[in-house]
Amino acid sequence: MRNFFSLLLVFIFISCKNDVLPKPKAYLSLIYPAKEYKNLTLERPYTFQVLKNTDVIDEPNNWLKIKYPNLKASLDITYRPVNNNIRELLTEAEKLVFKHAVKAEQIIPKDFVNSKKKVFGSMYEITGNAASQLQFHVTDSTKNFIKGSLYFYAKPNYDSILPAVSYIKEDIFQLIESLEWKKKSN
């Protein structure tokens, strides 16, 4: 009988643990630095503002790589002069956007027009687990064409990177709104 009570007592102590409860839903509390912009200092046929806490990498052919080291992302900027080939450049830019349609849930376009500065273009937000979540192109339609693509150095998981995409999207708007074409000196 004594063994029975000892066994019962041990059983009671072992079985008295906290109940397992599911964790409540929560949101990530991501804090990004305040936005502060600077003018692009590299000599290019264009100029625009970039976020101060990014690294701007000089690439050949007037191309750039704007790195976001804390977000493990980069905004790749390509430049092409327009030589009576604007239709070809626009088609190529749109092909690169819609190449992501296989993995994208949807592709949301936004057009930009600034007749005063001669800046015309589109930005595409690609939702879903695509390789690039934001792409854009801008042109003056006669001499200059810029294309940009956002890439993260990680396997795409749209839900996880969405806050960073939103953060960088503001920088792309600032880039496009501050973009100016430089006159070529002869």
Side-chain angles (χ1 to χ4, degrees), residues 74 89-90 112 129 131 167 180 186:
S74 73
L89 293 170
L90 289 168
F112 295 94
N129 294 331
Y167 182 79
E180 292 185 18
N186 295 331

Side-chain angles (χ1 to χ4, degrees), residues 118-161:
K118 295 186 179 180
V119 175
F120 312 97
S122 297
M123 185 184 77
Y124 299 90
E125 187 170 353
I126 303 163
T127 64
N129 294 331
S132 176
Q133 286 68 37
L134 296 170
Q135 293 200 14
F136 69 93
H137 63 268
V138 286
T139 183
D140 61 2
S141 72
T142 57
K143 295 180 182 136
N144 303 288
F145 188 89
I146 292 176
K147 184 181 168 330
S149 300
L150 173 64
Y151 294 102
F152 286 90
Y153 304 122
K155 184 179 178 187
N157 184 344
Y158 188 68
D159 292 341
S160 298
I161 61 173

Side-chain angles (χ1 to χ4, degrees), residues 49-63:
Q49 292 181 338
V50 294
L51 192 63
K52 278 191 175 182
N53 62 351
T54 58
D55 298 328
V56 179
I57 311 298
D58 188 5
E59 301 276 338
N61 301 319
N62 293 316
W63 294 17

Side-chain angles (χ1 to χ4, degrees), residues 21-184:
L21 298 174
K23 292 183 180 181
K25 287 188 177 185
Y27 296 97
L28 289 173
S29 176
L30 301 173
I31 299 171
Y32 295 107
K35 300 274 186 173
E36 197 174 336
Y37 296 95
K38 64 181 179 182
N39 290 324
L40 182 66
T41 56
L42 296 172
E43 192 57 40
R44 294 285 188 268
Y46 54 86
T47 186
F48 52 74
Q49 292 181 338
V50 294
L51 192 63
K52 278 191 175 182
N53 62 351
T54 58
D55 298 328
V56 179
I57 311 298
D58 188 5
E59 301 276 338
N61 301 319
N62 293 316
W63 294 17
L64 297 173
K65 185 178 288 276
I66 302 170
K67 287 191 170 186
Y68 290 79
N70 295 337
L71 300 177
K72 296 181 180 160
S74 73
L75 185 58
D76 296 352
I77 307 289
T78 59
Y79 171 82
R80 304 261 307 269
V82 175
N83 295 314
N84 293 322
N85 62 342
I86 189 68
R87 187 180 306 269
E88 174 190 324
L89 293 170
L90 289 168
T91 302
E92 181 183 313
E94 288 192 359
K95 271 185 192 175
L96 289 172
V97 168
F98 290 101
K99 204 178 211 183
H100 298 284
V102 174
K103 294 277 187 172
E105 291 175 15
Q106 72 182 105
I107 298 174
I108 306 164
K110 178 174 177 34
D111 294 330
F112 295 94
V113 175
N114 185 333
S115 301
K116 191 174 184 180
K117 288 185 174 182
K118 295 186 179 180
V119 175
F120 312 97
S122 297
M123 185 184 77
Y124 299 90
E125 187 170 353
I126 303 163
T127 64
N129 294 331
S132 176
Q133 286 68 37
L134 296 170
Q135 293 200 14
F136 69 93
H137 63 268
V138 286
T139 183
D140 61 2
S141 72
T142 57
K143 295 180 182 136
N144 303 288
F145 188 89
I146 292 176
K147 184 181 168 330
S149 300
L150 173 64
Y151 294 102
F152 286 90
Y153 304 122
K155 184 179 178 187
N157 184 344
Y158 188 68
D159 292 341
S160 298
I161 61 173
L162 184 58
V165 170
S166 297
Y167 182 79
I168 296 172
K169 185 162 89 170
E170 292 176 22
D171 299 340
I172 293 173
F173 287 147
Q174 181 67 26
L175 182 156
I176 293 171
E177 289 171 2
S178 65
L179 177 68
E180 292 185 18
W181 307 110
K182 292 184 180 175
K183 291 184 172 46
K184 291 183 181 178

